[in-house]
């Protein structure tokens, strides 16, 4: 059993019912750089803070004596706050609460992935907004082009009508001239 606990990759902390550390596994020592004897004098609630709330999480779980999971930060020997996912389960001895076992898993990769995902969603929303703006602008330009095209067709129709009228006028003038020349010749003769 000891070999199994020592070979675990996850961090493990066992506390008494008040949160005083009883033992830790080798991964906890390697990650936090604390000696097990040093931690035996410490309360787990002094090492761990929840990422979501600031309430006294340990008092709450010791009162309810139920399993508790949360994203936490644990304080290392070098005063670094390491992000972890924690699962805390009560330990019972003869149906009485005897302590707690805390399993901690490094979730810095998950947190980084969530940050990247949030950044990607923000960029996607920004690009979506830009696309909506570009579509609105393009629709406005299309309406303007349609209006200009309609005006151009109307102008073209008017010009064509004016050219027809001018041609008819020239034709009438030519016909009148052709009729007027022989009539003038007849009148003069």
């Amino acid at each position: 059993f000891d070999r199994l606990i020592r070979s675990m990759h996850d961090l493990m902390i066992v506390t008494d019912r008040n949160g005083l550390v009883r033992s830790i596994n080798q991964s906890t020592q390697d990650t936090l750089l604390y000696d097990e004897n040093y931690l035996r004098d410490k309360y787990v609630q002094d090492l761990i803070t929840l990422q979501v709330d600031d309430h006294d999480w340990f008092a709450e779980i010791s009162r309810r004596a139920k399993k508790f999971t949360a994203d936490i930060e644990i304080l290392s020997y070098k005063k670094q706050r390491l992000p972890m996912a924690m699962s805390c389960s009560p330990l019972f001895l003869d149906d009485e609460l005897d302590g707690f076992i805390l399993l901690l898993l490094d979730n810095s990769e998950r947190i980084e992935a969530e940050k990247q995902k949030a950044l990607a969603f923000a960029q996607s929303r920004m690009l979506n907004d830009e696309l909506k703006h570009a579509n609105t602008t393009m629709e406005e330009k299309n309406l303007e082009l349609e209006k200009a095209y309609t005006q151009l067709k109307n102008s073209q129709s008017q010009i064509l009508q004016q050219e027809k009228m001018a041609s008819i006028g020239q034709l009438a003038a030519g016909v009148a001239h052709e009729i007027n020349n022989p009539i003038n010749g007849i009148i003069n003769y």
Side-chain angles (χ1 to χ4, degrees), residues 3 14 33-34 41 59 64 92 106 122 130 133 159 162 171:
R3 282 188 299 156
V14 179
L33 304 174
Y34 283 120
D41 298 331
R64 291 186 301 163
F92 291 98
D106 180 9
E130 288 177 8
H133 178 70
I159 290 171
Q162 288 173 355
L171 182 63

Side-chain angles (χ1 to χ4, degrees), residues 161-178:
Q161 192 66 25
Q162 288 173 355
E163 285 179 6
K164 284 181 185 178
M165 295 303 280
S167 294
I168 290 172
Q170 285 177 351
L171 182 63
V175 169
H177 180 70
E178 292 296 325

Side-chain angles (χ1 to χ4, degrees), residues 6 11-12 23-37 39 77:
R6 291 194 189 288
L11 283 66
M12 186 184 81
S23 67
I24 61 173
N25 68 347
Q26 188 63 46
S27 290
T28 306
Q29 290 180 44
D30 295 343
T31 303
L32 302 181
L33 304 174
Y34 283 120
D35 182 63
E36 184 174 4
N37 293 327
L39 280 182
Y77 181 75

Side-chain angles (χ1 to χ4, degrees), residues 30-71:
D30 295 343
T31 303
L32 302 181
L33 304 174
Y34 283 120
D35 182 63
E36 184 174 4
N37 293 327
Y38 175 79
L39 280 182
R40 282 196 181 155
D41 298 331
K42 303 292 180 213
Y43 285 97
V44 73
Q45 51 270 44
D46 293 337
L47 299 172
I48 294 175
T49 56
L50 298 184
Q51 289 183 353
V52 178
D53 299 340
D54 282 339
H55 72 280
D56 187 3
W57 62 273
F58 192 83
E60 188 174 320
I61 64 165
S62 62
R63 184 176 63 250
R64 291 186 301 163
K66 290 187 178 179
K67 185 175 178 179
F68 178 76
T69 59
D71 287 332

Side-chain angles (χ1 to χ4, degrees), residues 102-147:
L102 289 81
L103 293 176
L104 308 168
L105 177 65
D106 180 9
N107 67 353
S108 56
E109 288 179 10
R110 180 180 62 90
I111 289 172
E112 184 61 31
E114 287 176 359
K115 286 179 184 176
Q116 293 298 327
K117 182 175 115 180
L119 180 62
F121 277 130
Q123 289 174 341
S124 173
R125 279 191 297 273
M126 185 179 71
L127 289 173
N128 193 24
D129 290 343
E130 288 177 8
L131 185 60
K132 283 180 182 178
H133 178 70
N135 281 340
T136 303
T137 304
M138 190 170 63
E139 287 173 5
E140 291 171 357
K141 296 283 186 191
N142 281 343
L143 288 174
E144 289 176 15
L145 284 174
E146 285 178 20
K147 188 177 177 181

Side-chain angles (χ1 to χ4, degrees), residues 68-81:
F68 178 76
T69 59
D71 287 332
I72 57 110
E73 289 181 339
I74 189 162
L75 189 63
S76 75
Y77 181 75
K78 294 182 178 181
K79 304 298 182 202
Q80 292 176 307
R81 296 210 162 270

